[in-house]
Amino acid sequence: MSRLITLFGLLVALFPAAAGAAYHHDLRVSVEAGIKQVTVVDSIELPAAGSYEFLLNQAFDIDKVEGGKVTARPRTPPPHEPAVTSHGFVLEQLFPQPPRATGAAGNRDDGGLRYEDYPAGVTIYRLQAQQSKVTLHYHARLKQLKSDKMGIVLASPQDASQPDGLFLDPGAVWYPLLGGSEGGLTFTMAVTVPEQWAAISQGARLSEVVEQGYKRVLWQELLPQQGIFLIAGRYVSYADEAKGTQSQVFLRQADDALAKDYLALTHQYVALYEKLIGGYPYSKFALVESFWESGFGMPSFTFLGPTVMRLPFIRTISYPHEIVHNWWGNSVYVDYSSGNWSEGLTSYLADYMLDEQRGNGVNHRREVLQKYSDFIRSDNDFALRQFTSSVETQGQAVGYGKSLMFFHMLRLKLGDEKFIEALRLFYQQYKFKVASYVDIERLFSRVYGQSLAPFFEQWVQRVGAPGLAIVNTKSEQLGSAWRVEGVLRQTQSGAPYLLDVPVAITLEGEATARYFTVAMGAKEQHFAFDLKAKPLRLDVDPEFDLFRRLTSEETPPALSQSFGAERMLLVLAERATPDLKRAWRQLAKEWDVPIKSDSDLKQLPDDRAVWLLGWDNDLLGQVQPSFNDYGAIATPKMAMLAGEEFQAGRDSVVLAVHNPDHPEHTVVWFASSAAATVARYGQRLPHYRKYSYLAFDNEDKNVLKGQWMLPTSPLNVMLEPGRVVKAVYPVRPNLVE
């Protein structure tokens, strides 16, 4: 799930929130039935009378100003237009690039805001405030809202004449966004909507009154915020309170069982993270069902799509992720100008930590490293300090994955006790303030007792990742003792990294491996360990604790390696039916990948990833040796995967293996018997990219998925030829239970 990053997120760098908010908005919002018009009265408390500038969506007409005068500045055409999704709504990044910083305030130009730094759709106003409180009356009609593309979303877009919901995020600039401030904002908001509707925002719901066919809902947030959200629509609401924090659920249709589950989960996760980090910063957390398929986290609530919120894994992965964002990102704010640390820390403490509690920490770390290794090359890599937000796989591999591993390595360096102490102190000192990686470095260094500047420098500022290899390993007996020695190499180009490399050694007669650490600051590092028992096996970073680029031998073949390949080719079966051929060609068009017929090729290409399409593909036999390596069988009539048999004409299968002659490239066999399933699975397969094999039945149900088991790795060394052994690794305590 990705946090909602619109103009709101990028403006954080321009108008950061400090300990005390600079502006207070007292809003009165009226939404007419059918959303024929949205009317707003905003009384703004300013630091003092004087001259100010603010942004407002040009869909709104200002009707009256009390306590001052407002004039619109002429607009200079911007160098870029806002990004728009396929259905016309801005859901993620409003700017293709962040605004240019032109001064200490980030977006100042001779004392004012610059049109060049904003997309089309906003107006810059000059405000001459005659007193410290100014009231603006403004409105927008449905016709204007329908054409807007800046974070204003109307529900039921198929029947826009009668929409039944409204979504306004801060990126819509639907309230006056004042510049030149070093503080955030607070607000009180009274929203009038039709009686059958609900109005939802961050903060506390103080009252809800129904009279004369309308409902008036009062929300208040007096903690410094970076923006104001408003969602209004037809909802059934549920609430439950425990230990001062209210759990709320807003559903488009009544579902008591689903609401009960989420109400209980909210209390469970809030209690867990209060124990780890500190007191939950808000008075409530709400699950709000979205009008479209989405997954966003806002201060004190999350906005999840109707299908998304009903997926089983969402409750144990994505839902806690959005709750944790209320500590990191929605109360300790991010200095986006120096890198978004919040996504990595949230992913580590939610997605990863809960997986670790289920005993899946090693696999989670390996999958993070595999995603980076499969999708990131020198031409698309970037440093953590450059990450703001991304919904693209490449951006997430760095901004989420590398950052997650950064915090894992930081935890290992400090130890759990000091890591937790630093987390709590970080939260205490920066709650409702903006924080950067530099702030994290200073605070964690203080807790650690020594400078972490070199550690942060190489992982936050530097582009890339180290690679590891081991050579010249040997063991010898020295009287009653033994010695193991060898050489570790860093294989990446460029300067060496400062690494603490974990090394595990399996000893004769011991069920648990011994762990050692090799401090490495050069491209090559000799090591030697003296032992009291005979060493049988040596493993370098066996539990994937270091952020590094994995070799192809360390990762099982998976769909991700083909989706992340620099070049890819689809090869369709010439003997397929005309309907299937059309479906395969349409898939190639949607994926924007070249396609050829198997009749045009005599050999598998040796310079790219290849997808073999169809049960009866003529090149299938050339891949059979790779299938055999994993105990799989592939024929034009059947496939055997993980001991289960699947039939042509009934089932669909997907298998990823290495090219037998060129193992640096991946070959994927995608066999399906119906054009309709090709279209459906073509859309779904990128979501299964971590898997080596998949099978679907004729009812479109995924009946099998998994990853091949790897027999060995180039970082494993058997010290006694012919004897394959492996001790278990020491059990690590969870960060919190």
Side-chain angles (χ1 to χ4, degrees):
M1 289 290 181
S2 172
R3 249 183 105 225
L4 180 61
I5 304 287
T6 58
L7 176 61
F8 150 65
L10 293 168
L11 286 174
V12 170
L14 311 182
F15 314 133
Y23 304 112
H24 178 80
H25 294 256
D26 188 357
L27 292 148
R28 285 171 285 160
V29 183
S30 177
V31 182
E32 293 188 13
I35 320 185
K36 294 176 180 148
Q37 181 167 298
V38 176
T39 303
V40 183
V41 179
D42 188 4
S43 296
I44 309 170
E45 295 180 13
L46 304 168
S51 182
Y52 296 84
E53 290 200 340
F54 67 86
L55 306 175
L56 188 65
N57 193 307
Q58 66 183 17
F60 290 96
D61 294 325
I62 297 179
D63 303 311
K64 185 171 69 171
V65 180
E66 300 174 50
K69 294 182 179 180
V70 166
T71 56
R73 283 179 49 192
R75 182 175 183 85
T76 303
H80 52 257
E81 293 296 323
V84 181
T85 65
S86 60
H87 47 57
F89 304 141
V90 172
L91 302 183
E92 293 294 335
Q93 194 92 341
L94 198 59
F95 292 120
Q97 298 292 331
R100 296 189 301 276
T102 57
N107 195 36
R108 307 290 292 174
D109 183 18
D110 59 20
L113 304 177
R114 307 190 336 161
Y115 267 119
E116 295 93 321
D117 293 328
Y118 300 97
V122 298
T123 300
I124 297 178
Y125 290 93
R126 294 188 187 276
L127 167 64
Q128 189 62 45
Q130 298 163 353
Q131 55 193 43
S132 61
K133 184 175 182 179
V134 175
T135 301
L136 279 72
H137 301 248
Y138 55 96
H139 75 278
R141 300 186 187 281
L142 174 61
K143 183 177 180 181
Q144 294 168 296
L145 291 176
K146 279 175 59 181
S147 62
D148 196 272
K149 301 183 179 69
M150 292 182 55
I152 295 177
V153 175
L154 301 176
S156 304
Q158 296 83 1
D159 182 13
S161 64
Q162 289 295 322
D164 62 350
L166 179 69
F167 173 89
L168 297 171
D169 82 347
V173 198
W174 65 275
Y175 55 89
L177 185 60
L178 289 112
S181 163
E182 292 303 320
L185 61 86
T186 57
F187 70 90
T188 301
M189 180 166 56
V191 188
T192 301
V193 293
E195 181 179 356
Q196 302 82 7
W197 286 27
I200 306 153
S201 185
Q202 68 254 58
R205 183 173 55 186
L206 300 184
S207 64
E208 189 173 274
V209 179
V210 176
E211 56 186 12
Q212 297 180 348
Y214 281 89
K215 181 183 292 180
R216 189 173 184 269
V217 188
L218 182 63
W219 289 91
Q220 183 180 68
E221 184 52 81
L222 300 180
L223 298 169
Q225 299 292 290
Q226 296 178 315
I228 305 172
F229 292 86
L230 173 59
I231 298 169
R234 297 177 184 273
Y235 282 105
V236 179
S237 64
Y238 302 83
D240 182 58
E241 190 160 340
K243 296 182 180 178
T245 299
Q246 190 175 64
S247 175
Q248 298 174 352
V249 172
F250 295 86
L251 300 178
R252 303 281 283 161
Q253 294 181 347
D255 189 333
D256 295 353
L258 182 68
K260 183 179 179 181
D261 283 351
Y262 273 109
L263 291 173
L265 283 171
T266 299
H267 292 312
Q268 176 184 332
Y269 289 129
V270 166
L272 173 69
Y273 289 105
E274 283 189 324
K275 179 181 177 182
L276 177 64
I277 306 168
Y280 180 71
Y282 293 103
S283 60
K284 68 108 172 28
F285 186 80
L287 167 68
V288 183
E289 185 174 356
S290 173
F291 309 136
W292 71 97
E293 292 304 335
S294 63
F296 304 134
M298 294 82 157
S300 79
F301 72 99
T302 185
F303 198 53
L304 299 183
T307 301
V308 170
M309 65 185 294
R310 289 170 172 83
L311 295 172
F313 67 87
I314 292 297
R315 305 180 196 189
T316 57
I317 299 176
S318 302
Y319 192 61
H321 182 104
E322 303 307 343
I323 290 176
V324 174
H325 260 312
N326 285 276
W327 281 269
W328 313 124
N330 286 332
S331 64
V332 179
Y333 298 128
V334 176
D335 179 359
Y336 287 91
S337 66
S338 59
N340 180 356
W341 51 265
S342 158
E343 292 298 353
L345 183 54
T346 299
S347 296
Y348 187 67
L349 297 181
D351 312 51
Y352 169 78
M353 192 185 80
L354 296 175
D355 226 8
E356 182 183 68
Q357 288 187 354
R358 292 186 284 265
N360 199 39
V362 174
N363 286 337
H364 194 114
R365 296 193 296 272
R366 180 179 59 77
E367 288 168 7
V368 167
L369 298 181
Q370 182 170 351
K371 187 174 184 179
Y372 177 87
S373 301
D374 289 345
F375 285 93
I376 300 300
R377 304 178 298 274
S378 60
D379 62 340
N380 65 1
D381 204 353
F382 58 92
L384 286 182
R385 63 177 173 81
Q386 297 171 290
F387 175 71
T388 55
S389 68
S390 178
V391 295
E392 301 297 329
T393 303
Q394 291 86 346
Q396 291 189 352
V398 177
Y400 288 68
K402 182 176 183 178
S403 184
L404 181 155
M405 289 298 299
F406 164 79
F407 284 106
H408 179 70
M409 292 184 292
L410 186 59
R411 170 189 171 185
L412 294 181
K413 198 168 190 68
L414 270 68
D416 284 5
E417 184 176 340
K418 286 186 178 294
F419 182 72
I420 293 172
E421 178 187 348
L423 283 178
R424 291 173 175 167
L425 190 60
F426 179 42
Y427 176 60
Q428 291 171 12
Q429 294 195 4
Y430 286 92
K431 185 162 61 172
F432 301 111
K433 299 178 184 178
V434 172
S436 67
Y437 274 112
V438 173
D439 298 315
I440 298 173
E441 175 202 319
R442 290 170 181 165
L443 190 146
F444 276 66
S445 293
R446 193 167 82 223
V447 173
Y448 185 46
Q450 56 184 287
S451 174
L452 291 166
F455 180 85
F456 275 74
E457 171 69 25
Q458 73 175 10
W459 296 119
V460 176
Q461 304 295 329
R462 183 172 174 179
V463 178
L468 282 179
I470 184 168
V471 296
N472 303 331
T473 309
K474 64 179 182 179
S475 67
E476 60 178 332
Q477 188 170 9
L478 301 173
S480 60
W482 291 80
R483 171 171 289 181
V484 171
E485 60 182 310
V487 175
L488 285 174
R489 284 180 179 168
Q490 295 186 29
T491 60
Q492 78 282 354
S493 60
Y497 284 78
L498 299 174
L499 302 177
D500 293 325
V501 183
V503 175
I505 299 179
T506 297
L507 300 177
E508 190 169 55
E510 295 191 12
T512 303
R514 296 285 185 93
Y515 250 81
F516 300 88
T517 299
V518 178
M520 193 176 188
K523 278 296 193 73
E524 288 198 358
Q525 179 65 55
H526 175 267
F527 64 86
F529 304 123
D530 291 324
L531 307 161
K532 294 183 178 180
K534 183 178 182 180
L536 303 177
R537 173 183 175 129
L538 182 147
D539 296 275
V540 177
D541 191 25
E543 297 188 281
F544 304 98
D545 289 309
L546 291 177
F547 180 74
R548 58 188 177 87
R549 185 173 291 279
L550 302 181
T551 66
S552 59
E553 295 89 346
E554 286 185 273
T555 59
L559 304 189
S560 58
Q561 291 151 8
S562 61
F563 284 126
E566 191 169 359
R567 304 174 70 190
M568 188 164 72
L569 176 69
L570 305 187
V571 181
L572 63 81
E574 185 61 37
R575 288 181 288 175
T577 65
D579 284 350
L580 270 172
K581 288 182 182 178
R582 281 192 293 271
W584 296 127
R585 293 188 187 281
Q586 179 61 31
L587 179 66
K589 184 178 179 181
E590 291 173 359
W591 285 2
D592 192 23
V593 175
I595 187 168
K596 289 186 177 182
S597 170
D598 57 2
S599 61
D600 297 329
L601 299 171
K602 293 184 179 179
Q603 296 290 330
L604 285 169
D606 59 6
D607 60 348
R608 66 191 67 195
V610 178
W611 284 64
L612 302 181
L613 308 177
W615 282 97
D616 47 3
N617 197 292
D618 284 344
L619 299 184
L620 186 60
Q622 296 184 25
V623 195
Q624 192 60 54
S626 292
F627 292 142
N628 293 341
D629 289 342
Y630 302 105
I633 299 173
T635 75
K637 293 185 177 181
M638 60 81 69
M640 183 74 73
L641 309 177
E644 296 189 38
E645 185 174 315
F646 301 92
Q647 298 292 329
R650 184 190 67 188
D651 304 312
S652 298
V653 297
V654 184
L655 289 79
V657 292
H658 291 309
N659 186 317
D661 299 319
H662 302 276
E664 69 274 18
H665 298 298
T666 302
V667 178
V668 180
W669 180 40
F670 179 10
S672 188
S673 303
T677 57
V678 170
R680 289 198 299 271
Y681 300 151
Q683 295 177 343
R684 293 166 60 182
L685 287 180
H687 300 288
Y688 287 94
R689 56 178 172 253
K690 73 177 183 180
Y691 294 106
S692 303
Y693 54 85
L694 303 161
F696 301 88
D697 63 17
N698 58 2
E699 296 180 353
D700 200 22
K701 180 181 178 182
N702 176 230
V703 294
L704 182 68
K705 59 186 177 185
Q707 295 178 324
W708 304 124
M709 295 295 293
L710 290 174
T712 186
S713 157
L715 295 182
N716 305 147
V717 179
M718 301 301 170
L719 298 172
E720 186 170 338
R723 188 174 178 184
V724 179
V725 293
K726 182 182 179 182
V728 299
Y729 300 127
V731 177
R732 302 178 185 177
N734 294 323
L735 198 59
V736 64
E737 296 296 341

